Each structure stands twice: as structure tokens, then as C-alpha cells.
Amino acid sequence: MQNKSIAQLAADLRLRTYSSVELTKHYLERIARLDPRLNSFVTVAADSALVAAERADQMLKSGEAGPLTGIPIAHKDIFCTQGIKTSCGSRMLDNFVAPYDATVVEKLAAAGAVVLGKTNMDEFAMGSSNETSFYGPVKNPWDETKVPGGSSGGSAAAVAARLCAVATGTDTGGSIRQPAALCGITGIKPTYGRCSRWGMIAFASSLDQAGVMARSAADAAFLLDEMAGFDSRDSTSANVPVPDYVDALDDGIKGLKIGLPKEYFGDGLDSRVAAVIQDAIKEYERLGAEIVEISLPNSPLSVPVYYVVAPAECSSNLARFDGVRYGHRCENPEDLEDLYKRSRAEGFGAEVQRRIMIGAYVLSAGYYDAYYLKAQKIRHLIADDFKRAFEQVDVIMGPTSPTTAFPIGDKMDDPVSMYLNDIYTIATNLAGLPGMSIPVAPVDGMPVGLQIIGNYFDEARLLNVAHQFQHATHWHQAAPAGFE
Ligand code: GLN
């Protein structure tokens, strides 16, 4: 059952080949047996999952079911879930049970999806390896000595290991696409504002975007169909009509213009990764696409710009965690200042503290113009590069990540080398554009992701372009040994 697509599962559920309760129990059994090796779940919500599965079976019986009714999913632990702990990977929120559901959670529940649990992640979504989680690192199911990527590493590992049919993730600088690449799955970060941020714990509000981690573009389309859309509770939610993503999957791609930015194929890219990315692009040519060389001249500035903008926004967003209203509170504070200081020092890990300090620094009176304002100006130049590129091409392709998954512990003492993991993904967030990662041929048995970047609100085309590749190839079907 765990290898079936959402379309197949939905068809089986409708025919009563098995019930949603049986399917849910199957996944819960896999999680209990296999997840101790991976640590991809922070919380398994077996009881509420079975209640939801029973409700889904009722919906299936009474003919009110949609394609997601009864399908077992997992949420990244950054989405607030009423009655189930929402930790955001942090000691700060280890005791936090949200009094409401995030919009994305609410919409998927209304569609009848069954939530198996909450997945592990880098603390407050800050990281590229899942090693900053308070709950310990997640292991990559393709090689348990390696990282799954981050920050949505728990969702990526869980989907790759077939511990859920599909999962949610969030992407501020690459956190859906990079772990999707490192775990050999399909991830889509929609246009900024496409999916509601309401109830999604904020990291860098002008960059954060919810999306999907799935085994195929077709599976991702089913989820995005339900998740996307305007939400009046999120002031940056886009009021743009949502097309039917599943409908668009089968469109032809003959004549598709693919831009290859020369900056994405330069120094720093592993040559074996480059070779399998080039092979994937040749496959697109065979499918009728046309290749155009392009340039995104400001893209080398995206990592430094991001590490000013994202910490600035995080230092403001994380000010709410003060030990007073909710979250971790230190023991026996002497006075209010001591309460703030010790609650935050104990509740936040090293990477989060580093970002808060950088953020407070770049926003401070003497440095605001030199760092924050300058970064915002360069952010515009980066977005303009893409604007020019999309006058010539339909989509942009390149590697998602410069290397395959690296060993756990390898980069934890070197934040800059960790930050460089996102060199190809961050510009997309700075511009607010949608991006995807799909698996191509592996290197030394480890997955590699092809990144596909689209114009604003062009998710249907991204999913279509990804689906056509997956229709012609089999890379997305590979399962890690021991998790088939
Ligand atoms: N790896 C990047 C960071 O550490 C991006 C994280 C994300 O997209 N949430 O900030």
C-alpha cells in the first residue's frame, strides 16, 4: 500500500479494497517499526488519526469523499494543530499545544486527510540539515549516517521512507526543495502568498511559504489543490484564482523554453551532480523542450542578502517568545528581566540565538542603512533578474543543491558552509517565485534533485513540467533499501 500514488489510494478507498482505518493502521505500524531509525516524527497522533480515519470511512460510504479523503498525511511541526503539540523543533515550544489549527491544516482536514503526526524539523526552520532540532537529528533513509536536509527534513525522510503518503513543509530559503532533493522526493514551494501563513509559526514573514513534499508531482498536485487559495486571516495571502493543478498535469511540453542560468552551473557545484542534472535536461530536450542559456547576474548575492533579511525578520518574530505568555519559562526568576533572559537562553538553541543576534544587529540604529536597507535594495535586483529571464523562457532549471546529502555532524561547526547549501534555492524566496525539486539519477546511490523555477503563480506549469519528466522516467519511484 505504501508505494501507491494518491490517485491509486483514493481509487482503492472508494472501491473498499481497504478502509481508511486499515490504511492508517498500516502507516502507524510502519512508523512504529521504522521511525526509531530515522527520528522523522516528533509526535505520532495515533488516536486522533484513527478517529479521523473512521470519519473518512463514513464520508467514503456516504459519497461525500474527495481525492484526499482517508489519505494518511503528516504535517511539519511548524503548523499549529489543535490538540496536538506544535514544537517547531524547539525546546521553547516543547510544551505548546495550539488552541487552533493553521489554515493549511484546517483545509486538509476538511478534505478528509488523516493526520498521522507532526514531523521533525530544524529549530524554528533555521537550518539545512535538521541537526538544529531540539529532538535530535533526522537520518536520511538512503544512508542513515547522512542528513536528510532541512529544515523540513522530517517530512522529507518520512515521505521517502513511506511512513506517510505525503506531507506538508515550509520553505523560507530552500527548506522544501533542498530536503526533497537530498531524500529523493518531489517538493514544491508555491509562489509567496499562494498558501496561507496563518497558524504557521513565523520565521521570516516576507519569505515563508507552505508547500508539499510528495513522492511525485501528481501526488503534490492533489495536496496543493486543497492547500492553495486566499485567506483573509493572512494579510499577505494572494487573492488570485487557483487553477486545478491535477487537470494541468497531462498538458504537453513541446516547445517549452527552459532557461539554464550560467551562475547555477559554476564553481561549487559537484561535477557528478552537474552531470546527472545535464542528463535530466537532455531528457527534457527529448520531450520537445528548447534550451536557452540565461544569466541571473545578481544571484551570487542571494546568500548574503538572505542572511541579513531572514535574521532581521526572525529577531522580530521570535521576540514574542518571552516566557510570559506561552512556551518555555525558566524556574524561579528573580525579576522580569531575569525571566526574559533565562527563558530565552534556555528555550532557544545556538543557531536560533545566532540569528536573533545577527537580526538585532542589522536592524540597530547605526547599521540599519548599511545592512538591512542595502540588502532590501539588492533583493529587488535579484527579483529583476528573474523578471528579465521570464521574458525569454517559461521555466528555469538547475541543481537544487550543490552536493548530495552530507554526513551528520559535518557542517555543524561551520555555519557559512551550511548556509551555502541553499545557494541555488534562496534567490527564489527573495523574489517570491515558485520552485520545485524532483529526483533525477542518483550519484553513488544518493539522490539528486533538479530544481524547476517558475514565474509568479505558475505552479500548474511547474507541476506539469515535473509530471511529464516523471511520466517518461522512473527515478521518482525508487525507494530506499529497507523502506520499500
Ligand atoms: N536553510 C535556510 C536557513 O537556514 C532556509 C531554511 C528554510 O527555508 N526554512 O535559513
Side-chain angles (χ1 to χ4, degrees):
M1 289 192 239
Q2 70 277 3
N3 286 306
K4 294 196 175 190
S5 68
I6 289 186
Q8 289 167 330
L9 292 173
D12 287 352
L13 287 171
R14 224 156 280 226
L15 290 171
R16 312 277 187 282
T17 311
Y18 38 82
S19 65
S20 175
V21 168
E22 284 167 318
L23 184 61
T24 302
K25 283 185 176 160
H26 173 72
Y27 275 112
L28 289 170
E29 183 280 323
R30 285 183 66 82
I31 294 171
R33 181 161 48 87
L34 298 167
D35 200 46
R37 280 160 61 181
L38 301 177
N39 194 28
S40 69
F41 280 84
V42 171
T43 303
V44 179
D47 293 346
S48 59
L50 289 169
V51 171
E54 270 168 31
R55 200 174 329 119
D57 282 330
Q58 290 302 327
M59 283 168 81
L60 284 153
K61 268 196 200 112
S62 60
E64 307 156 66
L68 288 184
T69 306
I71 305 286
I73 68 166
H75 285 301
K76 183 177 182 179
D77 210 12
I78 196 168
F79 291 99
C80 286
T81 43
Q82 190 174 9
I84 306 173
K85 177 169 97 169
T86 300
S87 73
C88 218
S90 182
R91 181 179 185 201
M92 184 59 91
L93 291 177
D94 185 43
N95 61 5
F96 177 61
V97 179
Y100 58 88
D101 280 335
T103 297
V104 160
V105 170
E106 195 178 88
K107 283 185 162 195
L108 291 172
V114 172
V115 178
L116 295 168
K118 307 289 293 289
T119 57
N120 204 342
M121 54 181 285
D122 278 300
E123 187 177 7
F124 284 100
M126 298 174 198
S128 307
S129 68
N130 229 290
E131 292 164 289
T132 71
S133 169
F134 173 61
Y135 302 95
V138 175
K139 319 275 168 57
N140 189 315
W142 293 89
D143 177 345
E144 290 162 37
T145 67
K146 299 204 165 135
V147 303
S151 65
S152 314
S155 287
V159 169
R162 281 108 172 112
L163 305 184
C164 55
V166 61
T168 54
T170 63
D171 192 312
T172 303
S175 280
I176 287 176
R177 290 160 289 159
Q178 185 256 12
L182 271 45
C183 287
I185 63 162
T186 300
I188 179 162
K189 169 206 119 59
T191 308
Y192 179 75
R194 178 90 280 190
C195 297
S196 170
R197 285 189 298 115
W198 197 76
M200 194 175 110
I201 294 173
F203 163 14
S205 307
S206 76
L207 302 160
D208 297 342
Q209 174 57 213
V212 189
M213 328 266 308
R215 291 206 317 274
S216 69
D219 283 1
F222 279 107
L223 224 72
L224 200 58
D225 265 343
E226 299 297 339
M227 284 167 62
F230 178 66
D231 181 6
S232 59
R233 293 177 294 193
D234 168 2
S235 62
T236 57
S237 170
N239 201 347
V240 175
V242 182
D244 187 321
Y245 297 118
V246 174
D247 261 5
L249 291 171
D250 291 318
D251 292 351
I253 58 165
K254 223 178 180 49
L256 178 83
K257 285 206 175 74
I258 299 176
L260 300 186
K262 63 170 193 270
E263 294 79 6
Y264 284 26
F265 291 88
D267 285 351
L269 175 61
D270 180 298
S271 60
R272 294 162 312 164
V273 170
V276 294
I277 293 292
Q278 292 293 358
D279 287 346
I281 287 160
K282 284 200 195 96
E283 180 65 37
Y284 271 108
E285 284 188 278
R286 272 194 289 278
L287 294 171
E290 199 183 303
I291 306 300
V292 184
E293 258 235 29
I294 59 164
S295 174
L296 300 170
N298 292 293
S299 59
L301 298 173
S302 58
V303 170
V305 166
Y306 174 88
Y307 280 98
V308 172
V309 173
E313 293 185 19
C314 106
S315 73
S316 160
N317 273 327
L318 271 57
R320 74 191 69 178
F321 302 107
D322 54 8
V324 176
R325 286 160 292 187
Y326 49 82
H328 177 73
R329 179 181 295 172
C330 68
E331 299 274 347
N332 307 318
E334 272 165 30
D335 52 24
L336 189 60
E337 195 173 318
D338 186 46
L339 169 83
Y340 290 153
K341 280 188 179 159
R342 278 203 291 127
S343 299
R344 286 168 69 80
E346 293 166 5
F348 292 137
E351 183 61 24
V352 173
Q353 294 191 25
R354 178 182 298 129
R355 307 259 183 131
I356 291 172
M357 285 193 284
I358 297 171
Y361 180 84
V362 300
L363 289 175
S364 60
Y367 299 103
Y368 180 92
D369 289 356
Y371 293 105
Y372 186 71
L373 206 62
K374 184 84 170 255
Q376 291 292 14
K377 287 180 181 163
I378 303 172
R379 186 175 179 179
H380 269 282
L381 299 178
I382 290 168
D384 286 346
D385 282 357
F386 282 110
K387 202 167 157 221
R388 268 191 300 276
F390 283 119
E391 282 163 10
Q392 291 179 62
V393 299
D394 301 311
V395 293
I396 294 172
M397 288 189 190
T400 304
S401 188
T403 63
T404 58
F406 46 90
I408 292 173
D410 224 29
K411 301 193 186 202
M412 275 309 267
D413 299 330
D414 185 357
V416 173
S417 122
M418 187 72 92
Y419 297 170
L420 286 172
N421 258 286
D422 299 318
I423 186 138
Y424 305 129
T425 50
I426 275 179
T428 320
N429 301 76
L430 290 169
L433 292 164
M436 268 191 96
S437 181
I438 59 170
V440 299
V443 164
D444 281 347
M446 292 307 287
V448 174
L450 170 74
Q451 186 175 205
I452 315 172
I453 300 168
N455 212 338
Y456 296 104
F457 300 104
D458 220 1
E459 290 82 9
R461 193 201 303 257
L462 285 189
L463 290 162
N464 162 235
V465 167
H467 180 69
Q468 291 306 309
F469 182 84
Q470 295 183 334
H471 192 65
T473 62
H474 59 274
W475 304 118
H476 65 291
Q477 283 161 352
F483 297 97
E484 305 95 333

